Amino acid sequence: MKYLKLFLTILLAIQQCNSFLKCEAFGRRSGDGFVKVRGTRFVLNGSPYYANGFNAYWLMYMASDPSQRYLVSNVFRQASSHSLSVARTWAFNDGGDRALQISPGSYNEHVFQGLDFVIAEARKYGIKLILSFVNNYESMGGKKQYVNWGRSHGQYLSSDDDFFKNPVVKGFYKNHITTVLNRRNTINGVVYKNDPTIMAWELMNEPRCTSDPSGRTIQGWISEMAAHVKSIDRNHLLEAGLEGFYGSSHPEKLHLNPNFNIGTDFIANNQVSGIDFATIHAYPDQWLSNKNAESELNFVNNWLTSHIEDAQNILRKPLLLAEFGKSDKDSGFSTYQRDQLFTTVYNKIYASAKRGGAAGGALFWQLITEGVEAYGDSYAIVLSRNPSTANVIAQQSRKLYLIRKIFARMRNVRLWKKAREIRNRINAKRV
């Protein structure tokens, strides 16, 4: 019996190795496995996974009109051609034009089918998705729309920040989460909570609660909502959507913040059970006043260094730079300055990744394609029109792929060594 167990163990190890070699030879499509967290790393199919990607908030909105879906396909095709692996986008549009959620619990099926298309199309191009449930801002509804819905249901609400505290409003939001997680895709038939094309859910785009600078309100809200998501979906990763501002839990780090307090606490908020990885954003051109390009780069370098160290040593979770960019409306803007910012960001990510650190990748804001210019902003990038920036992006994709390949081969060697050791033990027992 014990020889049988050893034999089966060898077979399993060899099978894992053969399967792994096939993955390396032919590549796995994005939808073949769920992205998981192992320590301070993202992993996919057992190997380290790095997210070099982009933001494109407009994907569902555009795909809700079948005649415009080719634009979604175009941006995924262009992203894939530059080996971009992750797209972050909205799984919400609350009230207003092409609303997904018309009123609490009432949904526009045509818009939901647009989100179905986005998910199915992302899989086709080997791109993982991070889907956000709600906006902090008024754009596409956000917490203001939820508070207005609360008022129309007889709730006395004095501030948009009541989104984080009022039980009725929180119930509307929880219902939206439940509806999205249990949605069955009309294109591929997969329930969202079972679809590995989705890398992660995001509780909110840039949650802010300025009425409570202590951070306790946001802390309680993240704890409650993370528990709700995990009670329905244990397959996917979850993140809070934070920008990375430090709070009262580590006052020695407050000097690293820009000079404002928006009621979040990077370390405490990301220590909540159910939050699988930490996020930060980086907009030095917005956050710093009267600073030159060199000062902005220094800020980004220090911002990333501090948060990568905190993710590694305190949170012990991966870190994703979920938004960064450079506005072309800045005084003295040049493509060279933007490329410098991207290079600075990517070098920090790469330096951490190659030593097995906590930096899991970066997503620039934002990618658009020809025909979608109306949905862009001063940060928007069309790859075909910005060849130098596109080259910086593609180089980062290649560098992160090589790191993943190296770690994957190391894993492969360990598997073969394990199989050989077992085989040698069996042969020794037979002698």
Side-chain angles (χ1 to χ4, degrees):
M1 178 61 77
K2 68 181 177 184
Y3 290 140
L4 177 60
K5 288 181 179 178
L6 285 171
F7 179 68
L8 291 175
T9 303
I10 280 184
L11 283 180
L12 178 60
I14 292 174
Q15 184 181 37
Q16 287 176 322
C17 289
N18 288 338
S19 174
F20 181 76
L21 287 171
K22 288 179 182 177
C23 295
E24 281 299 290
F26 304 109
R28 280 190 183 267
R29 293 196 61 80
S30 167
D32 284 349
F34 289 98
V35 177
K36 298 294 185 182
V37 163
R38 185 179 298 161
T40 59
R41 287 183 184 168
F42 296 119
V43 293
L44 177 63
N45 303 317
S47 298
Y49 180 76
Y50 299 100
N52 197 41
F54 62 97
N55 286 269
Y57 77 91
W58 49 269
L59 295 175
M60 178 187 70
Y61 186 89
M62 192 64 62
S64 64
D65 180 352
S67 70
Q68 296 180 315
R69 289 181 178 175
Y70 74 95
L71 295 168
V72 174
S73 302
N74 285 351
V75 83
F76 281 147
R77 184 181 305 110
Q78 292 167 15
S80 179
S81 72
H82 289 74
S83 300
L84 291 167
S85 56
V86 175
R88 176 173 170 262
T89 191
W90 300 165
F92 63 82
N93 187 4
D94 310 307
D97 182 43
R98 296 194 205 178
L100 172 63
Q101 188 174 194
I102 302 165
S103 60
S106 176
Y107 290 83
N108 184 324
E109 177 60 21
H110 294 295
V111 179
F112 236 144
Q113 289 176 13
L115 187 55
D116 293 344
F117 177 83
V118 169
I119 296 171
E121 200 72 355
R123 177 184 174 88
K124 185 186 299 184
Y125 287 97
I127 292 174
K128 297 283 189 185
L129 296 173
I130 296 175
L131 298 178
S132 186
F133 289 127
V134 72
N135 205 356
N136 179 74
Y137 311 105
E138 292 184 36
S139 175
M140 301 180 80
K143 68 182 182 185
K144 184 178 185 66
Q145 179 63 73
Y146 275 88
V147 168
N148 286 337
W149 283 335
R151 291 188 179 114
S152 70
H153 282 70
Q155 300 297 299
Y156 175 75
L157 304 172
S158 60
S159 163
D160 290 349
D161 285 352
D162 286 327
F163 172 86
F164 300 109
K165 297 175 282 189
N166 181 267
V168 172
V169 174
K170 288 193 292 184
F172 294 157
Y173 173 68
K174 285 180 179 178
N175 179 73
H176 176 62
I177 290 174
T178 301
T179 301
V180 171
L181 296 183
N182 289 312
R183 166 76 176 181
R184 183 176 295 278
N185 194 309
T186 56
I187 295 174
N188 59 26
V190 181
V191 176
Y192 285 12
K193 66 182 179 183
N194 298 328
D195 194 334
T197 306
I198 299 165
M199 172 181 171
W201 303 109
E202 177 179 275
L203 290 180
M204 184 180 229
N205 173 50
E206 298 188 345
R208 294 183 172 192
C209 185
T210 55
S211 63
D212 181 9
S214 74
R216 286 188 292 270
T217 296
I218 289 284
Q219 183 80 359
W221 181 81
I222 291 173
S223 298
E224 181 177 352
M225 298 310 165
H228 179 69
V229 172
K230 292 296 186 177
S231 72
I232 302 169
D233 181 1
R234 289 282 177 178
N235 288 323
H236 291 102
L237 303 179
L238 178 66
E239 48 99 350
L242 297 170
E243 297 161 271
F245 303 123
Y246 290 105
S248 58
S249 69
H250 285 73
E252 75 281 4
K253 295 180 178 291
L254 291 174
H255 72 280
L256 294 165
N257 288 345
N259 191 27
F260 53 85
N261 189 330
I262 48 86
T264 59
D265 186 322
F266 170 74
I267 293 176
N269 296 162
N270 281 306
Q271 287 175 323
V272 169
S273 176
I275 298 300
D276 297 297
F277 64 96
T279 63
I280 59 171
H281 297 180
Y283 289 108
D285 55 359
Q286 289 183 23
W287 295 350
L288 308 179
S289 59
N290 302 319
K291 297 291 185 180
N292 57 31
E294 182 179 357
S295 297
E296 292 179 2
L297 292 179
N298 287 337
F299 172 85
V300 167
N301 188 67
N302 293 334
W303 188 248
L304 286 171
T305 297
S306 178
H307 286 84
I308 291 170
E309 290 176 354
D310 293 337
Q312 185 79 39
N313 302 321
I314 301 175
L315 298 175
R316 304 187 189 280
K317 296 178 180 181
L319 176 75
L320 181 70
L321 176 56
E323 286 188 29
F324 74 97
K326 175 78 172 172
S327 172
D328 62 18
K329 287 188 168 58
D330 277 1
S331 175
F333 169 85
S334 68
T335 302
Y336 173 74
Q337 287 183 355
R338 182 174 62 198
D339 292 351
Q340 275 192 312
L341 173 66
F342 276 55
T343 299
T344 298
V345 165
Y346 288 155
N347 285 346
K348 293 297 291 187
I349 300 296
Y350 176 73
S352 172
K354 71 179 182 180
R355 65 175 183 267
L363 317 178
F364 66 86
W365 185 281
Q366 66 162 323
L367 182 61
I368 63 172
T369 185
E370 295 86 350
V372 192
E373 289 85 353
Y375 301 97
D377 52 28
S378 62
Y379 293 86
I381 295 173
V382 179
L383 294 171
S384 61
R385 297 176 186 169
N386 296 271
S388 65
T389 306
N391 184 54
V392 172
I393 292 167
Q395 285 182 0
Q396 178 73 352
S397 295
R398 287 192 289 271
K399 287 164 68 176
L400 292 178
Y401 170 75
L402 288 175
I403 291 176
R404 183 168 192 257
K405 196 171 183 181
I406 289 169
F407 280 120
R409 286 178 174 172
M410 290 169 60
R411 173 175 172 264
N412 186 34
V413 168
R414 286 196 300 269
L415 285 171
W416 276 110
K417 284 184 176 179
K418 181 180 178 181
R420 186 174 61 187
E421 288 170 1
I422 296 171
R423 184 183 61 214
N424 290 341
R425 286 204 301 269
I426 290 177
N427 290 338
K429 289 178 182 294
R430 286 175 175 169
V431 174

